[in-house]
Amino acid sequence: MKNTALTKTHESLGAKMVPFAGYNMPVSYEGVNAEHETVRKGVGVFDVSHMGEFLISGPNALDLIQKVTSNDASKLTIGRAQYSCLPNETGGIVDDLIVYRIKEEQYLLVVNASNIDKDWAHISKYNNEFKADMKNISEGYSLLAIQGPKAVEAMQSLTSIDLAAMKFYHFAVADFAGVDHVIISATGYTGSGGFEIYCKNEEVKQIWDKVFEAGAEFGIKPIGLAARDTLRLEMGYCLYGNDIDDNTSPFEAGLGWITKFTKDFVNSEALEKEKKHGLERKLIAFELDGRGIPRHGYDIVDGNGKTIGVVTSGTMSPSMGTGIGLGYVPSVFSELGSKINIQVRKNAIAATVVKLPFYKA
């Protein structure tokens, strides 16, 4: 089991630690609901240093990225980031990721922790043609997500750049918490605003300490992975391994908006045909009409009790107090307002297909 550079810090704070993607990670500190509310109303900090980072450089860096990702990375200027995915050759998704344009011929790809080796092998396979310079820098870098509506105000004293002026999915390489050349990115997985901070492992403890010092008057708290999951689900953000995987297409998962046919990419021809011919199944968002908590793996059934799909993510929404979830069903059941049922143990609980996000600030 790997540790992040902050594992001892989490343990000293009383975090409940669990194995996650090969890492020893904090799942909670004071409880998921309290931590969830801290991020929705104030500011909280996640250690997500288990995430993977690849540096792609050289004259053919963009050509390689264009080949392996679904979104159009040619639209990126220096200081911009882009959500994208790595399509596989059979219609599914290798991983979802964020692409950062650091310099004219240098990009940073941020991938899911559980997929680091798989993604590296997949991209390397296509790099045989492009010969871009690839570096896996995951082991040497840490990542903090400082999230919540008070993040800008709480963190402004730690940097010389104007945080309030930074637009969503923009970033800067700047000073932060006494460390030079830190990536400050206006991205996150919570839907409550804030920043993600990329730094070297040897710098992260200093940054963590100064972040908590600066945020003290704003009620800043450490947040675990359990609240990260409820926060992202309220926004309808996909989680790899649950809502998207090697067998789900970007269109089935509602990720057509990051699938651009302005270029040739892995399996683009087949995906374009799928878009034209229509989908047999879709990822839907649903709210329970009755009491209950939907969970990953629960059956979705029709009015006659026939299984029509499966819940990929589900929880009791801390913000709304109702059961919410995502799941795949035949397209005929995917219209907004459609009635379905979720099999919660022995009970089929009525649910309604709704529009994302579940949570609206």
Side-chain angles (χ1 to χ4, degrees):
M1 198 62 59
K2 295 177 184 174
N3 291 318
T4 75
L6 291 169
T7 296
K8 286 195 171 98
T9 302
H10 301 312
E11 288 171 346
S12 72
L13 291 168
K16 181 184 176 186
M17 307 295 286
V18 297
F20 184 83
Y23 281 82
N24 191 21
M25 298 295 291
V27 69
S28 65
Y29 298 84
E30 62 172 325
V32 60
N33 287 356
E35 290 169 38
H36 183 107
E37 189 174 355
T38 292
V39 175
R40 282 282 179 252
K41 296 182 178 176
V43 57
V45 186
F46 304 81
D47 176 14
V48 281
S49 303
H50 60 316
M51 298 291 280
E53 293 90 12
F54 305 155
L55 213 50
I56 314 287
S57 311
N60 293 333
L62 177 59
D63 291 337
L64 171 62
I65 291 165
Q66 288 287 71
K67 180 66 179 177
V68 298
T69 65
S70 62
N71 211 335
D72 188 354
S74 70
K75 303 291 185 193
L76 286 174
T77 52
I78 296 167
R80 293 286 300 272
Q82 181 185 77
Y83 181 59
S84 192
C85 78
L86 302 171
N88 65 20
E89 296 81 3
T90 55
I93 298 170
V94 178
D95 202 3
D96 60 336
L97 74 163
I98 298 180
V99 180
Y100 291 83
R101 190 168 191 177
I102 307 291
K103 297 176 183 173
E104 199 62 42
E105 294 183 350
Q106 187 176 77
Y107 297 79
L108 179 70
L109 310 187
V110 180
V111 303
N112 284 300
S114 55
N115 290 335
I116 293 172
D117 293 342
K118 182 176 80 160
D119 294 356
W120 181 262
H122 178 79
I123 298 167
S124 297
K125 179 174 63 179
Y126 287 97
N127 195 35
N128 288 334
E129 176 189 347
F130 298 100
K131 306 287 192 292
D133 181 43
M134 289 176 59
K135 283 184 185 151
N136 182 354
I137 60 171
S138 309
E139 294 285 329
Y141 277 76
S142 293
L143 172 56
L144 299 181
I146 305 165
Q147 299 282 290
K150 293 182 182 175
V152 170
E153 197 182 354
M155 295 299 108
Q156 186 56 68
S157 65
L158 297 179
T159 181
S160 59
I161 63 167
D162 183 358
L163 294 178
M166 191 183 290
K167 294 176 183 171
F168 195 44
Y169 269 76
H170 286 60
F171 71 94
V173 180
D175 60 289
F176 187 81
V179 179
D180 292 328
H181 309 299
V182 168
I183 293 176
I184 307 169
S185 174
T187 48
Y189 198 43
T190 66
S192 283
F195 303 92
E196 294 184 303
I197 307 293
Y198 298 84
C199 63
K200 291 177 181 172
N201 287 344
E202 57 268 25
E203 299 164 341
V204 73
K205 182 62 167 67
Q206 175 182 322
I207 291 175
W208 175 276
D209 290 344
K210 287 187 180 285
V211 161
F212 276 87
E213 205 175 292
E217 64 181 290
F218 300 92
I220 199 166
K221 289 181 180 178
I223 312 294
L225 293 182
R228 183 174 165 85
D229 193 52
T230 55
L231 288 157
R232 70 91 193 167
L233 184 49
E234 285 187 346
M235 300 308 297
Y237 296 153
C238 287
L239 173 64
Y240 195 89
N242 280 39
D243 315 302
I244 50 176
D245 58 32
D246 289 297
N247 301 307
T248 57
S249 89
F251 289 103
E252 289 176 334
L255 297 177
W257 62 280
I258 61 164
T259 310
K260 305 291 172 59
F261 298 112
T262 51
K263 57 167 194 166
D264 172 56
F265 60 88
V266 175
N267 206 40
S268 56
E269 201 174 312
L271 287 172
E272 195 163 16
K273 280 181 188 167
E274 180 187 61
K275 183 185 179 184
K276 283 176 183 167
H277 291 151
L279 302 167
E280 289 184 12
R281 65 170 192 161
K282 289 183 181 177
L283 185 68
I284 56 151
F286 64 83
E287 281 182 24
L288 293 190
D289 300 334
R291 292 181 65 180
I293 305 175
R295 300 288 187 198
H296 170 76
Y298 283 9
D299 285 341
I300 301 174
V301 298
D302 66 12
N304 299 316
K306 181 189 172 188
T307 299
I308 55 169
V310 65
V311 176
T312 54
S313 289
T315 194
M316 174 64 72
S317 163
S319 300
M320 299 151 55
T322 55
I324 60 171
L326 304 173
Y328 284 95
V329 294
S331 296
V332 68
F333 293 97
S334 68
E335 294 296 317
L336 294 181
S338 294
K339 293 295 181 180
I340 55 173
N341 297 281
I342 310 301
Q343 194 69 42
V344 180
R345 299 185 185 86
K346 293 179 180 177
N347 301 317
I349 300 176
T352 304
V353 176
V354 297
K355 187 179 180 182
L356 290 172
F358 295 105
Y359 172 79
K360 296 164 186 76

